[in-house]
Amino acid sequence: MKIAIASDHGGFSLKQELIPWLKEKGLEVIDCGTDSEDSCDYPDYAKKGCDEVLSGNADFVILCCGTGVGISIAANKVHGIRCGLCPSPEIAALVKQHNNANAIALGGRFTEPALAKEIVEAYMNAEFMGGRHQTRVDKISALED
């Protein structure tokens, strides 16, 4: 599995915690920046991470900003991306099971690294349920047109 990860300055520290953990699990990681805690704009990094998914270079993207809200809003503006803000493992699993999300967002200032790892693990272990959820995902995709 190949995972893209991107953050702004508010999510940089959490991103830096997740990268070695993902690699230790044998996963390939594409770091889409940022590279420091210097102030920057989360939409730029949301786009970089989402582009890796849309191009087929990554299976999904983990996006981190201070709250997770701004970067998730930006990601959801990218055609073809479905991003869910995941404050808990339960929500992360549902984001995949019900919404077939290809992006998850985490709040770097509100999510401890241990919890973030549980969230990512729950998302990766979940499977899209299809059925009635596919109908809803199709309707979401139609909103982009």
Side-chain angles (χ1 to χ4, degrees), residues 70-94:
I71 206 161
S72 67
I73 291 171
N76 281 313
K77 297 293 184 181
V78 178
H79 191 277
I81 293 295
R82 286 177 310 283
C83 181
L85 175 58
C86 297
S88 71
E90 295 81 10
I91 290 175
L94 288 168

mmCIF file with all atom_site columns, all heavy atoms in Angstrom, residues 70-94:
data_model
loop_
_atom_site.group_PDB
_atom_site.id
_atom_site.type_symbol
_atom_site.label_atom_id
_atom_site.label_alt_id
_atom_site.label_comp_id
_atom_site.label_asym_id
_atom_site.label_entity_id
_atom_site.label_seq_id
_atom_site.pdbx_PDB_ins_code
_atom_site.Cartn_x
_atom_site.Cartn_y
_atom_site.Cartn_z
_atom_site.occupancy
_atom_site.B_iso_or_equiv
_atom_site.pdbx_formal_charge
_atom_site.auth_seq_id
_atom_site.auth_comp_id
_atom_site.auth_asym_id
_atom_site.auth_atom_id
_atom_site.pdbx_PDB_model_num
ATOM 1   N N   . GLY A 1 70 ? -9.858  22.848 8.096   1.00 0.00 ? 70 GLY A N   1
ATOM 2   C CA  . GLY A 1 70 ? -9.509  23.603 6.892   1.00 0.00 ? 70 GLY A CA  1
ATOM 3   C C   . GLY A 1 70 ? -8.974  22.731 5.774   1.00 0.00 ? 70 GLY A C   1
ATOM 4   O O   . GLY A 1 70 ? -9.386  22.858 4.614   1.00 0.00 ? 70 GLY A O   1
ATOM 5   N N   . ILE A 1 71 ? -8.079  21.821 6.118   1.00 0.00 ? 71 ILE A N   1
ATOM 6   C CA  . ILE A 1 71 ? -7.474  20.977 5.085   1.00 0.00 ? 71 ILE A CA  1
ATOM 7   C C   . ILE A 1 71 ? -8.489  19.990 4.515   1.00 0.00 ? 71 ILE A C   1
ATOM 8   O O   . ILE A 1 71 ? -8.433  19.647 3.335   1.00 0.00 ? 71 ILE A O   1
ATOM 9   C CB  . ILE A 1 71 ? -6.189  20.290 5.614   1.00 0.00 ? 71 ILE A CB  1
ATOM 10  C CG1 . ILE A 1 71 ? -5.249  19.956 4.450   1.00 0.00 ? 71 ILE A CG1 1
ATOM 11  C CG2 . ILE A 1 71 ? -6.492  19.110 6.508   1.00 0.00 ? 71 ILE A CG2 1
ATOM 12  C CD1 . ILE A 1 71 ? -3.811  19.714 4.865   1.00 0.00 ? 71 ILE A CD1 1
ATOM 13  N N   . SER A 1 72 ? -9.477  19.567 5.337   1.00 0.00 ? 72 SER A N   1
ATOM 14  C CA  . SER A 1 72 ? -10.519 18.681 4.815   1.00 0.00 ? 72 SER A CA  1
ATOM 15  C C   . SER A 1 72 ? -11.455 19.445 3.880   1.00 0.00 ? 72 SER A C   1
ATOM 16  O O   . SER A 1 72 ? -11.879 18.906 2.850   1.00 0.00 ? 72 SER A O   1
ATOM 17  C CB  . SER A 1 72 ? -11.297 18.002 5.940   1.00 0.00 ? 72 SER A CB  1
ATOM 18  O OG  . SER A 1 72 ? -12.062 18.918 6.683   1.00 0.00 ? 72 SER A OG  1
ATOM 19  N N   . ILE A 1 73 ? -11.774 20.680 4.212   1.00 0.00 ? 73 ILE A N   1
ATOM 20  C CA  . ILE A 1 73 ? -12.603 21.499 3.328   1.00 0.00 ? 73 ILE A CA  1
ATOM 21  C C   . ILE A 1 73 ? -11.893 21.691 1.994   1.00 0.00 ? 73 ILE A C   1
ATOM 22  O O   . ILE A 1 73 ? -12.498 21.526 0.925   1.00 0.00 ? 73 ILE A O   1
ATOM 23  C CB  . ILE A 1 73 ? -12.941 22.852 3.979   1.00 0.00 ? 73 ILE A CB  1
ATOM 24  C CG1 . ILE A 1 73 ? -13.884 22.655 5.162   1.00 0.00 ? 73 ILE A CG1 1
ATOM 25  C CG2 . ILE A 1 73 ? -13.559 23.810 2.956   1.00 0.00 ? 73 ILE A CG2 1
ATOM 26  C CD1 . ILE A 1 73 ? -14.096 23.901 6.004   1.00 0.00 ? 73 ILE A CD1 1
ATOM 27  N N   . ALA A 1 74 ? -10.607 22.029 2.056   1.00 0.00 ? 74 ALA A N   1
ATOM 28  C CA  . ALA A 1 74 ? -9.833  22.225 0.816   1.00 0.00 ? 74 ALA A CA  1
ATOM 29  C C   . ALA A 1 74 ? -9.802  20.944 -0.007  1.00 0.00 ? 74 ALA A C   1
ATOM 30  O O   . ALA A 1 74 ? -10.018 20.962 -1.225  1.00 0.00 ? 74 ALA A O   1
ATOM 31  C CB  . ALA A 1 74 ? -8.415  22.686 1.146   1.00 0.00 ? 74 ALA A CB  1
ATOM 32  N N   . ALA A 1 75 ? -9.561  19.819 0.641   1.00 0.00 ? 75 ALA A N   1
ATOM 33  C CA  . ALA A 1 75 ? -9.483  18.535 -0.073  1.00 0.00 ? 75 ALA A CA  1
ATOM 34  C C   . ALA A 1 75 ? -10.799 18.217 -0.761  1.00 0.00 ? 75 ALA A C   1
ATOM 35  O O   . ALA A 1 75 ? -10.808 17.720 -1.897  1.00 0.00 ? 75 ALA A O   1
ATOM 36  C CB  . ALA A 1 75 ? -9.105  17.419 0.900   1.00 0.00 ? 75 ALA A CB  1
ATOM 37  N N   . ASN A 1 76 ? -11.903 18.504 -0.101  1.00 0.00 ? 76 ASN A N   1
ATOM 38  C CA  . ASN A 1 76 ? -13.206 18.191 -0.682  1.00 0.00 ? 76 ASN A CA  1
ATOM 39  C C   . ASN A 1 76 ? -13.573 19.082 -1.861  1.00 0.00 ? 76 ASN A C   1
ATOM 40  O O   . ASN A 1 76 ? -14.539 18.787 -2.562  1.00 0.00 ? 76 ASN A O   1
ATOM 41  C CB  . ASN A 1 76 ? -14.288 18.211 0.400   1.00 0.00 ? 76 ASN A CB  1
ATOM 42  C CG  . ASN A 1 76 ? -14.277 16.936 1.206   1.00 0.00 ? 76 ASN A CG  1
ATOM 43  O OD1 . ASN A 1 76 ? -14.230 15.843 0.657   1.00 0.00 ? 76 ASN A OD1 1
ATOM 44  N ND2 . ASN A 1 76 ? -14.299 17.064 2.517   1.00 0.00 ? 76 ASN A ND2 1
ATOM 45  N N   . LYS A 1 77 ? -12.798 20.101 -2.111  1.00 0.00 ? 77 LYS A N   1
ATOM 46  C CA  . LYS A 1 77 ? -12.986 20.934 -3.304  1.00 0.00 ? 77 LYS A CA  1
ATOM 47  C C   . LYS A 1 77 ? -12.270 20.335 -4.516  1.00 0.00 ? 77 LYS A C   1
ATOM 48  O O   . LYS A 1 77 ? -12.504 20.751 -5.647  1.00 0.00 ? 77 LYS A O   1
ATOM 49  C CB  . LYS A 1 77 ? -12.473 22.355 -3.070  1.00 0.00 ? 77 LYS A CB  1
ATOM 50  C CG  . LYS A 1 77 ? -13.207 23.110 -1.987  1.00 0.00 ? 77 LYS A CG  1
ATOM 51  C CD  . LYS A 1 77 ? -14.628 23.397 -2.382  1.00 0.00 ? 77 LYS A CD  1
ATOM 52  C CE  . LYS A 1 77 ? -15.335 24.245 -1.342  1.00 0.00 ? 77 LYS A CE  1
ATOM 53  N NZ  . LYS A 1 77 ? -16.720 24.499 -1.702  1.00 0.00 ? 77 LYS A NZ  1
ATOM 54  N N   . VAL A 1 78 ? -11.406 19.352 -4.289  1.00 0.00 ? 78 VAL A N   1
ATOM 55  C CA  . VAL A 1 78 ? -10.659 18.716 -5.376  1.00 0.00 ? 78 VAL A CA  1
ATOM 56  C C   . VAL A 1 78 ? -11.549 17.638 -5.988  1.00 0.00 ? 78 VAL A C   1
ATOM 57  O O   . VAL A 1 78 ? -11.963 16.694 -5.295  1.00 0.00 ? 78 VAL A O   1
ATOM 58  C CB  . VAL A 1 78 ? -9.324  18.116 -4.863  1.00 0.00 ? 78 VAL A CB  1
ATOM 59  C CG1 . VAL A 1 78 ? -8.582  17.414 -5.991  1.00 0.00 ? 78 VAL A CG1 1
ATOM 60  C CG2 . VAL A 1 78 ? -8.451  19.201 -4.229  1.00 0.00 ? 78 VAL A CG2 1
ATOM 61  N N   . HIS A 1 79 ? -11.836 17.780 -7.247  1.00 0.00 ? 79 HIS A N   1
ATOM 62  C CA  . HIS A 1 79 ? -12.727 16.853 -7.963  1.00 0.00 ? 79 HIS A CA  1
ATOM 63  C C   . HIS A 1 79 ? -12.214 15.415 -7.820  1.00 0.00 ? 79 HIS A C   1
ATOM 64  O O   . HIS A 1 79 ? -11.055 15.131 -8.121  1.00 0.00 ? 79 HIS A O   1
ATOM 65  C CB  . HIS A 1 79 ? -12.794 17.250 -9.441  1.00 0.00 ? 79 HIS A CB  1
ATOM 66  C CG  . HIS A 1 79 ? -13.858 16.540 -10.210 1.00 0.00 ? 79 HIS A CG  1
ATOM 67  N ND1 . HIS A 1 79 ? -13.675 15.284 -10.738 1.00 0.00 ? 79 HIS A ND1 1
ATOM 68  C CD2 . HIS A 1 79 ? -15.127 16.896 -10.512 1.00 0.00 ? 79 HIS A CD2 1
ATOM 69  C CE1 . HIS A 1 79 ? -14.774 14.916 -11.353 1.00 0.00 ? 79 HIS A CE1 1
ATOM 70  N NE2 . HIS A 1 79 ? -15.679 15.876 -11.230 1.00 0.00 ? 79 HIS A NE2 1
ATOM 71  N N   . GLY A 1 80 ? -13.077 14.533 -7.312  1.00 0.00 ? 80 GLY A N   1
ATOM 72  C CA  . GLY A 1 80 ? -12.707 13.129 -7.159  1.00 0.00 ? 80 GLY A CA  1
ATOM 73  C C   . GLY A 1 80 ? -12.245 12.742 -5.768  1.00 0.00 ? 80 GLY A C   1
ATOM 74  O O   . GLY A 1 80 ? -11.998 11.573 -5.496  1.00 0.00 ? 80 GLY A O   1
ATOM 75  N N   . ILE A 1 81 ? -12.126 13.714 -4.885  1.00 0.00 ? 81 ILE A N   1
ATOM 76  C CA  . ILE A 1 81 ? -11.689 13.434 -3.516  1.00 0.00 ? 81 ILE A CA  1
ATOM 77  C C   . ILE A 1 81 ? -12.891 13.457 -2.581  1.00 0.00 ? 81 ILE A C   1
ATOM 78  O O   . ILE A 1 81 ? -13.753 14.321 -2.672  1.00 0.00 ? 81 ILE A O   1
ATOM 79  C CB  . ILE A 1 81 ? -10.628 14.463 -3.053  1.00 0.00 ? 81 ILE A CB  1
ATOM 80  C CG1 . ILE A 1 81 ? -9.343  14.299 -3.840  1.00 0.00 ? 81 ILE A CG1 1
ATOM 81  C CG2 . ILE A 1 81 ? -10.366 14.350 -1.545  1.00 0.00 ? 81 ILE A CG2 1
ATOM 82  C CD1 . ILE A 1 81 ? -8.599  12.983 -3.626  1.00 0.00 ? 81 ILE A CD1 1
ATOM 83  N N   . ARG A 1 82 ? -12.918 12.480 -1.695  1.00 0.00 ? 82 ARG A N   1
ATOM 84  C CA  . ARG A 1 82 ? -13.871 12.442 -0.598  1.00 0.00 ? 82 ARG A CA  1
ATOM 85  C C   . ARG A 1 82 ? -13.050 12.339 0.682   1.00 0.00 ? 82 ARG A C   1
ATOM 86  O O   . ARG A 1 82 ? -12.434 11.310 0.951   1.00 0.00 ? 82 ARG A O   1
ATOM 87  C CB  . ARG A 1 82 ? -14.831 11.247 -0.732  1.00 0.00 ? 82 ARG A CB  1
ATOM 88  C CG  . ARG A 1 82 ? -15.874 11.420 -1.814  1.00 0.00 ? 82 ARG A CG  1
ATOM 89  C CD  . ARG A 1 82 ? -16.752 10.198 -1.981  1.00 0.00 ? 82 ARG A CD  1
ATOM 90  N NE  . ARG A 1 82 ? -15.994 8.961  -2.120  1.00 0.00 ? 82 ARG A NE  1
ATOM 91  C CZ  . ARG A 1 82 ? -15.367 8.578  -3.244  1.00 0.00 ? 82 ARG A CZ  1
ATOM 92  N NH1 . ARG A 1 82 ? -15.410 9.338  -4.319  1.00 0.00 ? 82 ARG A NH1 1
ATOM 93  N NH2 . ARG A 1 82 ? -14.711 7.440  -3.274  1.00 0.00 ? 82 ARG A NH2 1
ATOM 94  N N   . CYS A 1 83 ? -13.029 13.416 1.438   1.00 0.00 ? 83 CYS A N   1
ATOM 95  C CA  . CYS A 1 83 ? -12.212 13.491 2.645   1.00 0.00 ? 83 CYS A CA  1
ATOM 96  C C   . CYS A 1 83 ? -13.091 13.621 3.869   1.00 0.00 ? 83 CYS A C   1
ATOM 97  O O   . CYS A 1 83 ? -14.024 14.418 3.893   1.00 0.00 ? 83 CYS A O   1
ATOM 98  C CB  . CYS A 1 83 ? -11.280 14.706 2.556   1.00 0.00 ? 83 CYS A CB  1
ATOM 99  S SG  . CYS A 1 83 ? -10.189 14.891 3.977   1.00 0.00 ? 83 CYS A SG  1
ATOM 100 N N   . GLY A 1 84 ? -12.761 12.834 4.883   1.00 0.00 ? 84 GLY A N   1
ATOM 101 C CA  . GLY A 1 84 ? -13.473 12.926 6.148   1.00 0.00 ? 84 GLY A CA  1
ATOM 102 C C   . GLY A 1 84 ? -12.541 13.345 7.266   1.00 0.00 ? 84 GLY A C   1
ATOM 103 O O   . GLY A 1 84 ? -11.407 12.868 7.352   1.00 0.00 ? 84 GLY A O   1
ATOM 104 N N   . LEU A 1 85 ? -13.010 14.249 8.095   1.00 0.00 ? 85 LEU A N   1
ATOM 105 C CA  . LEU A 1 85 ? -12.298 14.632 9.308   1.00 0.00 ? 85 LEU A CA  1
ATOM 106 C C   . LEU A 1 85 ? -12.502 13.507 10.315  1.00 0.00 ? 85 LEU A C   1
ATOM 107 O O   . LEU A 1 85 ? -13.640 13.124 10.612  1.00 0.00 ? 85 LEU A O   1
ATOM 108 C CB  . LEU A 1 85 ? -12.852 15.949 9.843   1.00 0.00 ? 85 LEU A CB  1
ATOM 109 C CG  . LEU A 1 85 ? -12.295 16.441 11.173  1.00 0.00 ? 85 LEU A CG  1
ATOM 110 C CD1 . LEU A 1 85 ? -10.780 16.624 11.112  1.00 0.00 ? 85 LEU A CD1 1
ATOM 111 C CD2 . LEU A 1 85 ? -12.975 17.748 11.558  1.00 0.00 ? 85 LEU A CD2 1
ATOM 112 N N   . CYS A 1 86 ? -11.411 12.964 10.834  1.00 0.00 ? 86 CYS A N   1
ATOM 113 C CA  . CYS A 1 86 ? -11.476 11.758 11.665  1.00 0.00 ? 86 CYS A CA  1
ATOM 114 C C   . CYS A 1 86 ? -10.918 12.021 13.069  1.00 0.00 ? 86 CYS A C   1
ATOM 115 O O   . CYS A 1 86 ? -9.721  11.854 13.304  1.00 0.00 ? 86 CYS A O   1
ATOM 116 C CB  . CYS A 1 86 ? -10.711 10.627 10.990  1.00 0.00 ? 86 CYS A CB  1
ATOM 117 S SG  . CYS A 1 86 ? -11.396 10.140 9.401   1.00 0.00 ? 86 CYS A SG  1
ATOM 118 N N   . PRO A 1 87 ? -11.790 12.377 14.005  1.00 0.00 ? 87 PRO A N   1
ATOM 119 C CA  . PRO A 1 87 ? -11.324 12.598 15.376  1.00 0.00 ? 87 PRO A CA  1
ATOM 120 C C   . PRO A 1 87 ? -11.232 11.320 16.210  1.00 0.00 ? 87 PRO A C   1
ATOM 121 O O   . PRO A 1 87 ? -10.713 11.356 17.318  1.00 0.00 ? 87 PRO A O   1
ATOM 122 C CB  . PRO A 1 87 ? -12.387 13.536 15.947  1.00 0.00 ? 87 PRO A CB  1
ATOM 123 C CG  . PRO A 1 87 ? -13.631 13.182 15.196  1.00 0.00 ? 87 PRO A CG  1
ATOM 124 C CD  . PRO A 1 87 ? -13.172 12.793 13.813  1.00 0.00 ? 87 PRO A CD  1
ATOM 125 N N   . SER A 1 88 ? -11.733 10.198 15.672  1.00 0.00 ? 88 SER A N   1
ATOM 126 C CA  . SER A 1 88 ? -11.706 8.942  16.428  1.00 0.00 ? 88 SER A CA  1
ATOM 127 C C   . SER A 1 88 ? -11.552 7.767  15.472  1.00 0.00 ? 88 SER A C   1
ATOM 128 O O   . SER A 1 88 ? -11.880 7.877  14.287  1.00 0.00 ? 88 SER A O   1
ATOM 129 C CB  . SER A 1 88 ? -13.004 8.772  17.229  1.00 0.00 ? 88 SER A CB  1
ATOM 130 O OG  . SER A 1 88 ? -14.078 8.499  16.349  1.00 0.00 ? 88 SER A OG  1
ATOM 131 N N   . PRO A 1 89 ? -11.093 6.626  15.987  1.00 0.00 ? 89 PRO A N   1
ATOM 132 C CA  . PRO A 1 89 ? -11.003 5.429  15.147  1.00 0.00 ? 89 PRO A CA  1
ATOM 133 C C   . PRO A 1 89 ? -12.367 4.995  14.604  1.00 0.00 ? 89 PRO A C   1
ATOM 134 O O   . PRO A 1 89 ? -12.464 4.538  13.460  1.00 0.00 ? 89 PRO A O   1
ATOM 135 C CB  . PRO A 1 89 ? -10.428 4.368  16.090  1.00 0.00 ? 89 PRO A CB  1
ATOM 136 C CG  . PRO A 1 89 ? -9.699  5.130  17.137  1.00 0.00 ? 89 PRO A CG  1
ATOM 137 C CD  . PRO A 1 89 ? -10.481 6.403  17.310  1.00 0.00 ? 89 PRO A CD  1
ATOM 138 N N   . GLU A 1 90 ? -13.408 5.153  15.401  1.00 0.00 ? 90 GLU A N   1
ATOM 139 C CA  . GLU A 1 90 ? -14.743 4.751  14.964  1.00 0.00 ? 90 GLU A CA  1
ATOM 140 C C   . GLU A 1 90 ? -15.186 5.554  13.744  1.00 0.00 ? 90 GLU A C   1
ATOM 141 O O   . GLU A 1 90 ? -15.724 4.998  12.777  1.00 0.00 ? 90 GLU A O   1
ATOM 142 C CB  . GLU A 1 90 ? -15.749 4.918  16.109  1.00 0.00 ? 90 GLU A CB  1
ATOM 143 C CG  . GLU A 1 90 ? -15.495 4.012  17.296  1.00 0.00 ? 90 GLU A CG  1
ATOM 144 C CD  . GLU A 1 90 ? -14.405 4.513  18.266  1.00 0.00 ? 90 GLU A CD  1
ATOM 145 O OE1 . GLU A 1 90 ? -13.939 5.672  18.154  1.00 0.00 ? 90 GLU A OE1 1
ATOM 146 O OE2 . GLU A 1 90 ? -14.010 3.721  19.135  1.00 0.00 ? 90 GLU A OE2 1
ATOM 147 N N   . ILE A 1 91 ? -14.970 6.835  13.796  1.00 0.00 ? 91 ILE A N   1
ATOM 148 C CA  . ILE A 1 91 ? -15.347 7.676  12.655  1.00 0.00 ? 91 ILE A CA  1
ATOM 149 C C   . ILE A 1 91 ? -14.469 7.352  11.456  1.00 0.00 ? 91 ILE A C   1
ATOM 150 O O   . ILE A 1 91 ? -14.956 7.295  10.323  1.00 0.00 ? 91 ILE A O   1
ATOM 151 C CB  . ILE A 1 91 ? -15.308 9.170  13.030  1.00 0.00 ? 91 ILE A CB  1
ATOM 152 C CG1 . ILE A 1 91 ? -16.459 9.460  13.998  1.00 0.00 ? 91 ILE A CG1 1
ATOM 153 C CG2 . ILE A 1 91 ? -15.397 10.057 11.786  1.00 0.00 ? 91 ILE A CG2 1
ATOM 154 C CD1 . ILE A 1 91 ? -16.486 10.856 14.551  1.00 0.00 ? 91 ILE A CD1 1
ATOM 155 N N   . ALA A 1 92 ? -13.197 7.101  11.670  1.00 0.00 ? 92 ALA A N   1
ATOM 156 C CA  . ALA A 1 92 ? -12.297 6.754  10.558  1.00 0.00 ? 92 ALA A CA  1
ATOM 157 C C   . ALA A 1 92 ? -12.787 5.497  9.839   1.00 0.00 ? 92 ALA A C   1
ATOM 158 O O   . ALA A 1 92 ? -12.784 5.436  8.608   1.00 0.00 ? 92 ALA A O   1
ATOM 159 C CB  . ALA A 1 92 ? -10.881 6.560  11.068  1.00 0.00 ? 92 ALA A CB  1
ATOM 160 N N   . ALA A 1 93 ? -13.206 4.499  10.597  1.00 0.00 ? 93 ALA A N   1
ATOM 161 C CA  . ALA A 1 93 ? -13.721 3.278  9.978   1.00 0.00 ? 93 ALA A CA  1
ATOM 162 C C   . ALA A 1 93 ? -14.988 3.568  9.187   1.00 0.00 ? 93 ALA A C   1
ATOM 163 O O   . ALA A 1 93 ? -15.146 3.106  8.051   1.00 0.00 ? 93 ALA A O   1
ATOM 164 C CB  . ALA A 1 93 ? -13.985 2.216  11.047  1.00 0.00 ? 93 ALA A CB  1
ATOM 165 N N   . LEU A 1 94 ? -15.880 4.362  9.746   1.00 0.00 ? 94 LEU A N   1
ATOM 166 C CA  . LEU A 1 94 ? -17.134 4.689  9.061   1.00 0.00 ? 94 LEU A CA  1
ATOM 167 C C   . LEU A 1 94 ? -16.910 5.536  7.809   1.00 0.00 ? 94 LEU A C   1
ATOM 168 O O   . LEU A 1 94 ? -17.632 5.395  6.823   1.00 0.00 ? 94 LEU A O   1
ATOM 169 C CB  . LEU A 1 94 ? -18.093 5.394  10.022  1.00 0.00 ? 94 LEU A CB  1
ATOM 170 C CG  . LEU A 1 94 ? -18.694 4.490  11.098  1.00 0.00 ? 94 LEU A CG  1
ATOM 171 C CD1 . LEU A 1 94 ? -19.388 5.316  12.177  1.00 0.00 ? 94 LEU A CD1 1
ATOM 172 C CD2 . LEU A 1 94 ? -19.643 3.480  10.485  1.00 0.00 ? 94 LEU A CD2 1
#
